[in-house]
Amino acid sequence: QTILCLPRSFDYSQKNAVLVPAAALGVGGMLVYWLTSRHKIKTIEMGDGWWGSGERPLKGKEDESIRPFKIETSDKEIEDLHRRLEQARYTPPLEGAAFHYGFNSSYLQKVVAYWRNQFDWRKQVEVLNKYPHFRTTIEGIDIHFIHVKPSYVPHGRAVQPLLMVHGWPGSFYEFYKIIPLLTEPARHSLNEGDVVFEVICPSIPGYGFSEAPHQKGFNTIATARIFHKLMNRLGFKEYYLQGGDWGSRITTNMAQMLPQSVKGLHLNVVFTSKQGLRMMISVMLGAYVPWLVGLTREDVRRMYPFIQKNIYDLLRESGYLHIQATKPDTAGCGLNDSPVGLAAYILEKFSTWTDKSFLHKDDGGLESKYSLDELLTNVMIYWVTSSIVSSMRFYKENISKESLTADARVGVYVPTGIAAFPQELAHTPHTWAKEIFKNLITYSYMPRGGHFAAFEEPKLLAEDIMRFVRKVEQL
């Protein structure tokens, strides 16, 4: 019997000799995978798209040429504008209404009179054409951009490519005052000129001179992919990004999509989807013991009273958003047909979003920060391209459950700089920003300025971008 048991015990020992190491290897492998996957950076899938008219052609490669582009106008275009301005109808404002009901129509008549009799669109077209413009076809649509290189680069100095992205209701023109500060800093007494940029400012598809998408679903992720393709087509493998408004979300998506291509991300507005119990506790305790929840005195000053600043004020300022996120084409019809309606709709944002106190002024405080030539040039970019409707559609494509959650669970790991302007629509404190931006290099409480930072405070923004890039380059 003992002899008969020997082969059986031999079988068991053989099996154990194989099974134990195999099990150990399996458990070890799972442990290694768990440890490595914990540190693996999640990214947004780049994917691909087609936004041209009809179905994507089965054969033939897309024309990847970069074509010089020039903005032009005509007597017919100007005469049509003047005729429409002359035929405008107005409703008298309520007494003492200032800008509380929207754009004050008494002041609007003054703006329109200037537009009709003094504004020189031909001269402004020359101003717009002072920087080199280009167009190139990506994913079936023509993408417009300006590309400005420094006229002089000191010996041994590296030029940093910087993509700057606008938002709504802005345009590439917002960056015209900041571009010379970034491309020729020494000329404008900005530091020692140790950081020099070449600046690329594209128009978001559907805005200005970039062709509007012909298909549904064009969101910030599609825009991010197209702008990566644009930078790649221009020969850049690594580059810096800067954005506010929609530009902030587009450039953030770019950093989430191809972090290896993004040297650094600089934002002048931050969107957070911070919710839940931690958020409630942070808000409730922040007013009394801010240090306990990581808030500074400046955070408290900008955020409280919380209900007033973050609910009432935002509700008052976001009526347009609900329209554009649901039925943009309906309201857009009127704006695309009436230059006066378009100006009122756009310029009202340049009033309150620049400074909330401008609500109380009869002229919306518009000329205290900008000239009428600057404001009307931005309006004209929407008017002559008939792009107000397609720009409004961008809200419907982005403010959906799918779009809002697609990037919410993906952190940003590239070096990031944030310039927090005091008159921004909502304030995001450093401690909240860190939850999304895992590699926050600079966070600046800017001394003044609002939503349209590059347009309103170009020098302040340029200095902050340079400070951020200098720190990244020293890492």
Side-chain angles (χ1 to χ4, degrees):
Q1 199 173 3
T2 307
I3 294 167
L4 286 170
C5 286
L6 279 173
R8 201 176 297 165
S9 62
F10 178 71
D11 285 347
Y12 279 128
S13 61
Q14 261 196 329
K15 282 180 183 174
N16 286 340
V18 175
L19 288 173
V20 171
L25 195 64
V27 171
M30 287 172 69
L31 186 64
V32 168
Y33 173 78
W34 179 74
L35 287 168
T36 54
S37 64
R38 275 200 327 159
H39 298 287
K40 188 181 177 185
I41 294 173
K42 278 187 183 176
T43 57
I44 293 175
E45 190 68 39
M46 187 161 181
D48 201 7
W50 169 259
W51 308 104
S53 185
E55 291 189 13
R56 189 175 204 153
L58 295 171
K59 291 182 180 179
K61 196 180 177 186
E62 189 165 71
D63 177 11
E64 295 189 356
S65 64
I66 292 167
R67 309 175 292 277
F69 175 76
K70 197 173 182 183
I71 297 170
E72 295 177 340
T73 188
S74 65
D75 291 342
K76 187 179 177 182
E77 184 174 75
I78 295 168
E79 286 163 11
D80 175 68
L81 171 71
H82 287 174
R83 178 180 58 79
R84 291 169 187 264
L85 294 176
E86 287 161 3
Q87 294 178 353
R89 300 190 304 172
Y90 302 90
T91 301
L94 295 170
E95 292 180 15
F99 262 56
H100 286 277
Y101 284 71
F103 206 106
N104 185 293
S105 57
S106 294
Y107 178 61
L108 182 60
Q109 290 181 65
K110 292 179 184 175
V111 172
V112 172
Y114 180 88
W115 199 357
R116 169 63 184 86
N117 302 312
Q118 290 169 267
F119 179 76
D120 188 343
W121 176 232
R122 290 188 187 280
K123 181 184 171 187
Q124 293 309 115
V125 165
E126 286 179 22
V127 170
L128 290 173
N129 283 326
K130 76 175 180 178
Y131 294 132
H133 292 249
F134 303 90
R135 285 175 99 178
T136 188
T137 307
I138 304 176
E139 297 188 7
I141 51 176
D142 285 343
I143 306 301
H144 161 262
F145 63 98
I146 56 174
H147 186 178
V148 188
K149 299 179 181 180
S151 57
Y152 168 74
V153 181
H155 180 70
R157 194 69 38 82
V159 179
Q160 304 294 343
L162 174 66
L163 180 83
M164 304 189 80
V165 186
H166 66 88
W168 187 92
S171 63
F172 66 93
Y173 177 60
E174 282 180 75
F175 301 115
Y176 267 49
K177 288 185 274 189
I178 200 172
I179 285 171
L181 308 184
L182 296 169
T183 56
E184 298 174 313
R187 263 194 199 181
H188 297 87
S189 308
L190 285 175
N191 310 309
E192 307 80 45
D194 58 331
V195 177
V196 181
F197 298 94
E198 59 179 296
V199 179
I200 301 94
C201 298
S203 294
I204 298 169
Y207 288 68
F209 299 99
S210 275
E211 187 179 352
H214 298 264
Q215 312 292 333
K216 292 187 291 182
F218 187 85
N219 58 15
T220 56
I221 292 174
T223 313
R225 181 178 63 243
I226 281 177
F227 288 172
H228 270 308
K229 289 182 177 181
L230 171 64
M231 293 303 276
N232 188 254
R233 195 170 290 184
L234 290 170
F236 300 116
K237 294 208 167 25
E238 286 187 313
Y239 30 90
Y240 284 93
L241 306 173
Q242 202 286 326
D245 197 85
W246 280 127
S248 170
R249 187 156 167 205
I250 291 164
T251 53
T252 298
N253 287 165
M254 290 178 76
Q256 292 167 317
M257 188 178 284
L258 289 180
Q260 67 273 22
S261 295
V262 179
K263 291 185 80 175
L265 170 69
H266 186 279
L267 307 171
N268 55 275
V269 64
V270 173
F271 300 106
T272 61
S273 53
K274 187 178 170 64
Q275 294 169 346
L277 186 61
R278 282 181 68 193
M279 165 73 159
M280 284 179 63
I281 293 169
S282 182
V283 168
M284 288 166 67
L285 296 179
Y288 306 103
V289 280
W291 50 270
L292 196 62
V293 288
L295 300 182
T296 66
R297 284 184 181 179
E298 185 61 20
D299 290 328
V300 172
R301 197 179 69 78
R302 294 185 184 194
M303 288 170 63
Y304 295 91
F306 192 84
I307 300 292
Q308 176 65 47
K309 292 188 175 182
N310 295 275
I311 296 179
Y312 293 156
D313 287 358
L314 284 180
L315 280 173
R316 184 192 65 219
E317 293 302 322
S318 59
Y320 81 97
L321 189 148
H322 192 78
I323 291 170
Q324 295 177 190
T326 52
K327 306 285 182 69
D329 287 31
T330 306
C333 288
L335 301 178
N336 196 44
D337 190 57
S338 165
V340 176
L342 182 69
Y345 196 72
I346 288 177
L347 296 187
E348 182 238 297
K349 305 307 177 199
F350 279 87
S351 166
T352 322
W353 294 3
T354 296
D355 192 317
K356 299 174 191 75
S357 70
F358 287 173
L359 270 175
H360 310 300
K361 295 177 178 280
D362 289 340
D363 63 356
L366 281 165
E367 292 176 77
S368 63
K369 294 286 185 174
Y370 315 102
S371 72
L372 283 180
D373 280 347
E374 289 170 350
L375 293 167
L376 290 170
T377 297
N378 183 65
V379 173
M380 285 295 288
I381 289 168
Y382 282 86
W383 176 253
V384 300
T385 58
S386 290
S387 60
I388 188 62
V389 177
S390 50
S391 75
M392 290 162 72
R393 285 176 186 156
F394 204 52
Y395 284 77
K396 185 168 177 67
E397 305 295 13
N398 281 292
I399 302 176
S400 65
K401 190 177 178 184
E402 294 77 20
S403 289
L404 289 173
T405 56
D407 54 356
R409 290 183 293 272
V410 179
V412 179
Y413 294 88
V414 305
T416 304
I418 294 171
F421 285 84
Q423 288 294 332
E424 187 51 83
L425 291 165
H427 176 67
T428 302
H430 182 278
T431 188
W432 293 5
K434 277 195 305 183
E435 292 191 17
I436 304 163
F437 304 96
K438 313 295 186 184
N439 190 5
L440 197 51
I441 303 295
T442 62
Y443 182 100
S444 310
Y445 294 100
M446 307 305 280
R448 63 185 178 275
H451 188 72
F452 304 99
F455 205 40
E456 182 195 352
E457 295 288 351
K459 191 167 185 179
L460 280 180
L461 185 61
E463 286 171 339
D464 200 70
I465 293 168
M466 287 176 172
R467 187 169 75 90
F468 163 67
V469 171
R470 191 177 292 110
K471 283 198 171 186
V472 175
E473 290 298 310
Q474 288 169 357
L475 291 176

